[in-house]
Amino acid sequence: MASVPYPFTAVVGMDDMRLSLLLNAVAPQIGGVLVRGEKGTAKSTVVRGLTALLPAMDVIPGCRFSCAPSASDPECPDGPHEPGAGTSRPTRLVELPVGASEDRLVGALDIERALSEGVKAFEPGLLAQAHRGILYVDEVNLLHDHLVDLLLDAAAMGASHVEREGVSVRHAARFLLVGTMNPEEGELRPQLLDRFGLTVEVAASRDPEQRVEVVRRRLAYDDDPAGFAARWAGEEAALRERIVAARALLPQVVLGDDALRQIAATCAAFEVDGMRADIVMARTATALAAWAGRTDVTVDDVRQAALLALPHRRRRNPFDAPGLDQDKLDQTLEEFGGDDDPEPDPQGPDDNGGGPDGGGGIPPQSQGPDAGGAGSTEPAGEQPEPEAAPSPGAGGPAREQAPVNAAEPFRTKALTVPGLGDGAAGRRSRARTEHGRTTGARRPRGALTKLHLAATVQAAAPHQRARGRSGPGLVVRRDDLRQAVREGREGNLVLFVVDASGSMAARRRMAAVKGAVLSLLLDAYQRRDKVGLVTFRGRGAELVLPPTSSVDAAAARLERLPTGGRTPLSAGLLKAHDVLRVERLRDPARRPLLVVVTDGRATGGVEPLRTAARAAGLHAADGTASVVVDCETGPVRLGLAAELARNLGGTAVTLDELRADAIAGVVKDVRTTGISRRAA
């Protein structure tokens, strides 16, 4: 890797991202930036380029927590510091890897020394290293939830606290937080999204000329990094000076009552929760004014602040794309603006100076994630009803039906994998985790992270006389330490196998089926699962969506799902078996849950029901937890879905029983033997 970072001002495009980073460099109180976008869009390159722009910082020599000589932290673990001159060093960029442990993030205490010697032997973590610098988290959506909680709490409080068995350490942790993520790999929880000050969407340009320029500059940089950086040194220096000037001007910027009223009205109009959005918008608008060299906040500043601070905070369904309705935004600003407010400038704030491509100044105003009609859908009433499909036993080619809209989703019953797992943290099935209730103790395997105090004392007590202890107190040695064993919840791989054959569409049940699967997807989103989608119809089965953390993608594929044709149930089960086999090799710790949505019918081929039973037996032999959602309706039921569940070694539930508010017991109708239905 080249030691010279790619110049920030040489980046082509990425206007919103560059502006958001620069605003946070001017006013770190904004709270950082979350960058959402597809892979290969230079997200990491831009962040590393920003680091070289930030002014050098003075630190106290020997302080591991980067205390400033003029204002050292009175609670610094390396303190107290004597007044004196500091040394200058570049602003630090600290990267948090996805697989980092809690101790790597917040630091670690030597618990053995703390217990036996009573000293606080603290090893600083990444939060301490990032103090007064940049903390960069690539793929932040793949971090464990408890790490994200710790990270964002430190960013909000400006300090990190480490508490272990009565030993407490606190140190300052003020940094510019930058997170990047690919939405296709899963979303952050809404309450965690809210903790990022600004968010931007990035995508590769579709303009051929701009793409050519990107390639030309990148090749030139790879051939001669130092020479390429030297050609942009003037623009880099100018932008660095502008950051310093904006920081100095920031305290003089006046946020008038009209601007405050517009900020409050905009947050209310988009139904954001809490008051953090109002505060972030105010700080962002103020930073925009300082960046433009002004001491007053204009309506343009408020509008740009809304486009950066609100898309990830507005109230929306989990499967809705983030973004703002810009017509609604303009209408709100106009309604609550002062009489002398200028009209919003579609070209954005002034002065787009900097590098040859405008990279150093304020980029053109974003059109927002929803520009171009993205995310629009046809009215439900305009979707054609599915035609009657041929009977399951009829010959001839499969007749594909038009996609059917899903019924309204509902809250589902909790489906879990039996036993105790070791998978990724989540909210579905029982598992051994780092966080949760303590269920026992064991000897540490590697570094001790969670001390089981009672078990440690119990292990040390019989040896006190041999260790020379005759009075009060306890001599604890490393062999006595016991790690707490904790039980929490894990996320699973939920693989949906959906029957899209004519037997489902003919009875116009597909809307209800899609609604049920959509409800289960919503449940998977809330429980932090990976999901996959297999469908079968006609002559075979198809992996519509490989296992992913993005339930949004699964919901989109489900909506477009066509129906019709025969019911190759065995093909669907065999395809699911292949998918799970590969996933077990990729991630052995993540346990699967197979959810088969069907009426249990099987047609096509020789002895289709017997073939399906043999395919189901493969899943049972692997010990795969499974649930069959029985979609059979009508006064007479064949019970084929229940038979399939028995072959899978799982359970069967009807569509009605899948609802969380369904009564657990089912009653038999005395008039029709074998009919089970939800109790009234």
Side-chain angles (χ1 to χ4, degrees):
M1 178 182 292
S3 58
V4 180
Y6 191 93
F8 187 87
T9 51
V11 174
V12 179
M14 313 285 284
D15 297 336
D16 281 351
M17 180 179 178
R18 289 184 293 149
L19 176 61
S20 298
L21 291 171
L22 290 169
L23 293 177
N24 273 272
V26 172
Q29 301 87 353
I30 288 174
V33 184
L34 175 65
V35 184
R36 298 161 46 94
E38 58 197 26
K39 56 184 178 295
T41 48
K43 300 186 292 291
S44 301
T45 299
V46 179
V47 175
R48 294 187 179 97
L50 176 70
T51 309
L53 288 175
L54 298 180
M57 51 190 291
D58 292 331
V59 297
I60 294 176
C63 179
R64 297 173 298 167
F65 301 87
S66 302
C67 283
S70 58
S72 63
D73 181 7
E75 299 183 62
C76 176
D78 284 354
H81 297 296
E82 296 294 332
T87 60
S88 180
R89 66 165 174 80
T91 298
R92 184 180 290 162
L93 172 68
V94 176
E95 299 189 37
L96 174 62
V98 171
S101 65
E102 180 179 340
D103 287 345
R104 183 75 181 98
L105 177 64
V106 302
L109 290 169
D110 188 332
I111 299 177
E112 182 179 10
R113 289 189 63 192
L115 289 174
S116 59
E117 304 175 28
V119 298
K120 296 180 181 179
F122 181 70
E123 184 66 29
L126 296 177
L127 291 180
Q129 295 179 30
H131 179 47
R132 302 176 64 203
I134 298 176
L135 182 60
Y136 175 51
V137 189
D138 194 14
E139 297 181 318
V140 64
N141 53 324
L142 302 184
L143 281 178
H144 285 183
D145 283 353
H146 73 280
L147 290 183
V148 180
D149 288 334
L150 292 170
L151 176 67
L152 297 179
D153 283 344
M157 302 300 295
S160 175
H161 297 264
V162 183
E163 303 281 350
R164 296 284 170 84
E165 282 70 41
V167 181
S168 176
V169 173
R170 176 222 172 263
H171 64 83
R174 292 183 294 274
F175 46 81
L176 169 55
L177 176 63
V178 182
T180 60
M181 59 176 282
N182 184 347
E184 293 181 357
E185 296 174 340
E187 287 283 359
L188 280 172
R189 302 199 315 266
Q191 58 268 40
L192 300 183
L193 279 172
D194 183 53
R195 302 299 288 272
F196 282 94
L198 309 179
T199 185
V200 292
E201 299 273 345
V202 297
S205 172
R206 299 298 184 259
D207 179 11
E209 292 301 322
Q210 195 171 68
R211 295 175 75 97
V212 166
E213 186 62 23
V214 169
V215 174
R216 182 181 292 120
R217 294 187 186 185
R218 185 69 208 193
L219 293 178
Y221 169 76
D222 290 340
D223 289 342
D224 182 10
F228 184 84
R231 292 196 291 274
W232 289 85
E235 287 77 9
E236 294 280 289
L239 189 56
R240 189 178 297 110
E241 292 174 2
R242 187 173 177 182
I243 293 173
V244 174
R247 285 181 174 180
L249 183 62
L250 186 63
Q252 304 174 38
V253 176
V254 177
L255 185 65
D257 290 342
D258 286 344
L260 277 172
R261 193 175 298 108
Q262 288 176 322
I263 290 171
T266 301
C267 292
F270 286 99
E271 300 182 5
V272 297
D273 295 325
M275 295 298 297
R276 185 176 283 115
D278 303 62
I279 296 171
V280 171
M281 269 192 69
R283 288 173 174 165
T284 305
T286 303
L288 280 163
W291 182 247
R294 291 184 272 100
T295 57
D296 60 313
V297 175
T298 68
V299 65
D300 287 339
D301 299 328
V302 175
R303 187 180 193 278
Q304 182 68 64
L307 292 173
L308 296 175
L310 296 188
H312 61 304
R313 291 188 169 92
R314 69 173 180 84
R315 189 174 297 175
R316 61 188 180 94
N317 293 324
F319 301 135
D320 292 343
L324 291 185
D325 182 339
Q326 296 196 48
D327 291 337
K328 180 178 180 180
L329 173 60
D330 291 336
Q331 184 179 3
T332 303
L333 293 176
E334 182 178 354
E335 180 180 354
F336 289 89
D339 294 337
D340 56 349
D341 282 337
E343 290 294 322
D345 180 3
Q347 296 302 317
D350 59 354
D351 189 1
N352 197 32
D357 68 325
I362 296 183
Q365 191 151 325
S366 168
Q367 295 301 311
D370 286 345
S376 62
T377 58
E378 285 188 283
E382 295 183 11
Q383 292 285 356
E385 287 290 331
E387 299 175 7
S391 62
R399 291 175 54 191
E400 182 173 310
Q401 309 299 325
V404 182
N405 283 343
E408 193 69 21
F410 52 85
R411 190 165 64 91
T412 68
K413 294 174 65 175
L415 306 178
T416 61
V417 177
L420 194 63
D422 291 288
R427 299 179 180 177
R428 184 172 296 279
S429 305
R430 294 173 54 220
R432 289 175 287 266
T433 60
E434 287 294 320
H435 296 265
R437 63 186 182 91
T438 301
T439 59
R442 60 171 173 81
R443 289 183 179 273
R445 299 171 191 147
L448 177 68
T449 56
K450 299 292 182 182
L451 179 73
H452 194 297
L453 187 58
T456 299
V457 172
Q458 187 176 6
H463 308 291
Q464 295 307 295
R465 180 171 296 180
R467 294 172 184 173
R469 172 67 67 181
S470 58
L474 191 70
V475 176
V476 179
R477 294 181 178 173
R478 181 174 295 276
D479 289 343
D480 303 325
L481 299 179
R482 294 296 181 267
Q483 173 82 28
V485 176
R486 301 193 173 194
E487 182 179 312
R489 293 280 170 175
E490 68 177 0
N492 298 109
L493 166 59
V494 183
L495 181 62
F496 295 94
V497 181
V498 180
D499 184 350
S501 65
S503 68
M504 304 286 284
R507 294 165 180 81
R508 300 195 174 184
R509 283 177 281 155
M510 208 59 203
V513 168
K514 285 187 175 182
V517 178
L518 192 64
S519 303
L520 290 166
L521 284 172
L522 178 60
D523 183 67
Y525 166 80
Q526 295 168 339
R527 297 182 188 276
R528 312 295 288 171
D529 294 316
K530 289 182 70 174
V531 296
L533 180 61
V534 172
T535 65
F536 58 93
R537 57 182 290 272
R539 299 191 178 186
E542 178 185 5
L543 178 60
V544 176
L545 182 72
T548 174
S549 295
S550 175
V551 295
D552 295 20
R557 304 287 174 88
L558 181 70
E559 281 295 322
R560 297 193 296 268
L561 186 67
T563 61
R566 295 182 180 273
T567 312
L569 176 57
S570 60
L573 296 174
L574 291 174
K575 173 65 73 172
H577 187 264
D578 289 342
V579 172
L580 294 181
R581 178 180 56 81
V582 173
E583 288 303 310
R584 284 190 180 97
L585 295 175
R586 289 177 176 170
D587 188 358
R590 189 180 289 270
R591 297 186 295 164
L593 174 63
L594 183 69
V595 179
V596 185
V597 185
T598 181
D599 56 9
R601 296 170 185 262
T603 59
V606 179
E607 296 185 325
L609 285 175
R610 183 173 297 181
T611 305
R614 288 199 295 266
L618 296 176
H619 290 281
D622 290 341
T624 302
S626 58
V627 176
V628 177
V629 180
D630 185 357
C631 303
E632 192 173 25
T633 59
V636 178
R637 304 187 186 183
L638 303 178
L640 296 175
E643 180 65 24
L644 174 62
R646 285 191 289 271
N647 292 330
L648 286 167
T651 59
V653 296
T654 65
L655 287 174
D656 280 342
E657 292 167 358
L658 189 63
R659 294 178 180 271
D661 56 356
I663 297 178
V666 292
V667 298
K668 284 189 175 181
D669 190 325
V670 296
R671 294 166 296 181
T672 310
T673 303
I675 298 178
S676 297
R677 60 187 181 187
R678 182 176 158 194

